[in-house]
Amino acid sequence: MTDAFTASPAAAAEARASAGRLTTRLAWTALVANTVVVLQGAVVRLTGSGAGCGSHWPLCNGTVVPLDPTLETLIEFSHRLLSGGVLLIGAWLLVRALRVRRDKPGLAAFATASAALLVVEALIGAATVLLGLTGDNTSVARGYWVAGHLVNSLLLIGALACTVAFARDDAPAYPLRLSRQVPLAAVLLTGVVGALLLSFTGGIAAMGNTIFPPESLAEGLRADFDPASHPLIRLRILHPLIAVAVGTYLFVGLGLAWWLKPVPAARGVARTLLGVYLAQLAVGTFNLALLGPFVLQLLHLFLAVAAFALLWRWAAEPRPPVSSVPVEDAPPVARRGSRRQFVIAAGGLVAA
C-alpha cells in the first residue's frame, strides 16, 4: 500500500514529462511541415501549377480527388493536401497547449497565434484560387496577393518557432515584458517591420520574375527602369534596394550582439542568424546574376524562412534584467554599468 502511494507522484511526473515531450515533438513537426508547405508553394509558382485545379476550391477541377491528373494538377493538389494536413496539426497543437496554459502560458499564446495564422494562410490560398489570381493572370493584384501570402507565411513560421521554444521544459520566461524596455522594443519592432517589408517586396519580385522572366541581367535591369514596363517589373527593383538597407541594419545589430556578448542563451542564436543572413546575401546575389534558377530560388526562400524563425526565436530569449534603481540615483560605477547593460541589450535586440 505504501509503495502504491509513493509510486503515484513519480508516475504522475513521468506522465507529465511524456506529455511535454509529445507537445515539443508536435511543435517541431508543425514548424518543419509548414516550412515544407512554404517551399512547396514556391514550386507551385515556379512550375506554373497554380491553376492545376482550375478555379475550384476546396475541390480540384470539380472533384474531391482528381482523376487522370496532369503534372500541374498533381503539384497543386499535393500542395493543398499538405496545407490541410498542417492545419490539422496546428489544431492538435493548440488543443494540447490550451490544456497546459496555466503552467505554460507562453506556449498557449504562441500556439494560439500559430493556429490563427494557419487559418489566415488557408483563406489567402483559397481567395487566390477563387479570384483567378493564378495561371496566366498578370495583374498587379496577383503580385500583391502572393507577397501578402509570403508575409503571412513568415509570421506563421515565427510564431511556430516561438511555440517550439515555449514547449520546452526550460522555456524562456513569459510574458516577455518588452513594454518595460521601450527603447529595446522599438529596436526589435524596427527589425521585424523591415524584415516583413523585405519579404513583401521579395514576393513581388518573385512574381514579376515568374511572369516576365528576363533574358539577361542587363535586359532585366533596363526593364526595371523603363516607364513602359509592367508595374510588377518596375516594382521588383525595390527588393534588392530594401535588402541592402534592412541588411545593413541587421548586420550591424548582429555584430553588436556577437561582440558585446548579450544574454548567453541568445548569443548562439544571434551567431546562427548572422551566418544565415550572410548566406542569404550570397545566394541572393547569385540568384540575381543567374536570373533565378529553380534551385537557387528555393534555397533563397528557405534561408528567408530560417532567418525569420531565428529572428523570433531570438526575440523569445530573456533580456538582461532592468534595474529598479533610477540611473540618476545610482552611484557612478552603477551608472556606467547600466549604460553598458543597455548597449549590450540593445546590441542583442538589434539582432532580431
Side-chain angles (χ1 to χ4, degrees), residues 37 55 323:
V37 168
S55 58
S323 175

Side-chain angles (χ1 to χ4, degrees), residues 250-251 254-255 258 269-279 310:
L250 294 178
F251 185 79
L254 286 168
W258 193 344
V269 180
R271 284 198 297 266
T272 304
L273 182 53
L274 175 59
V276 169
Y277 170 69
L278 292 176
L310 288 168

